Amino acid sequence: MTTQTSLPLIDPTESIGYLLGQTNLIKDRLLDQHLAPQGITAAQAKVLFMIAYRGQSRGCDIGHYLGVDASTVTRMLDRLEKKGLTVRIPSPEDRRATLIDLTDEGYAIMRQSMPLAQNALAELTRGLEPDEFAMLKQLLRKVLIGASGPHHCQHAAQAALNHSETDN
């Protein structure tokens, strides 16, 4: 027989981790729904958007950016390549490395998907007033900057800082 320790119950709606996690799940569901006509998922769109934004990338960098392991990235890249949206090319700096780039079709799907993704995010935040939406973005950028220690994504923090400077 095990002894149960009485832990204080925390209302999940008061937990920032719970709120961010649930919001992220809902965001991805909305993205999946809005992007379905393009034949891509939210996860696949994130890869396409990342490559379009950052340029040719190694699979491990894509995995780090998305927070997924190497086998997940490989499967996702295989699917995108099979759809004709990405291509693997040898790295000019390191012949052992492979870079991922978008095909012309990948760029076209990404451009067509951007307004759909924006519609999904608008649906997610439709309950916010414009000033609340601006404040939410400002606070999330501040969290990214504050959390970007040596083990966090410096690129995300720098991008957040750049956006904060342009908002002022």
Side-chain angles (χ1 to χ4, degrees):
M1 181 181 229
T2 59
T3 306
Q4 291 184 346
T5 307
S6 177
L7 297 174
L9 294 178
I10 299 171
D11 178 359
T13 62
E14 294 299 319
S15 165
I16 189 71
Y18 174 84
L19 293 170
L20 287 171
Q22 291 300 303
T23 302
N24 191 48
L25 288 172
I26 294 167
K27 174 202 49 103
D28 283 347
R29 284 186 201 129
L30 288 170
L31 284 169
D32 282 338
Q33 291 169 7
H34 284 259
L35 294 169
Q38 296 298 324
I40 60 172
T41 65
Q44 292 170 342
K46 290 173 192 177
V47 172
L48 299 178
F49 294 158
M50 183 214 148
I51 296 170
Y53 177 70
R54 296 184 73 182
Q56 297 175 348
S57 300
R58 297 177 307 160
C60 62
D61 294 330
I62 293 169
H64 179 74
Y65 177 80
L66 296 176
V68 297
D69 63 40
S71 63
T72 301
V73 171
T74 299
R75 285 190 306 274
M76 189 178 315
L77 293 174
D78 288 346
R79 286 186 202 106
L80 288 169
E81 191 170 29
K82 188 175 182 178
K83 290 180 179 191
L85 304 179
T86 61
V87 63
R88 290 175 168 100
I89 56 175
S91 170
E93 288 91 32
D94 182 354
R95 63 186 184 142
R96 298 168 297 168
T98 301
L99 298 175
I100 312 303
D101 201 358
L102 298 181
T103 62
D104 289 342
E105 179 66 16
Y107 277 106
I109 290 292
M110 190 273 312
R111 282 191 298 276
Q112 294 164 9
S113 298
M114 189 62 76
L116 301 175
Q118 290 170 337
N119 289 342
L121 296 176
E123 186 175 336
L124 177 71
T125 58
R126 69 178 169 227
L128 299 177
E129 297 296 327
D131 60 326
E132 292 172 322
F133 181 71
M135 177 63 77
L136 175 63
K137 289 193 307 185
Q138 181 181 358
L139 291 172
L140 290 172
R141 287 183 190 122
K142 193 170 184 176
V143 168
L144 278 174
I145 292 166
S148 64
H151 303 293
H152 297 287
C153 182
Q154 293 292 328
H155 179 76
Q158 187 58 50
L161 181 60
N162 293 342
H163 284 292
S164 293
E165 291 169 353
T166 60
D167 284 351
N168 294 331

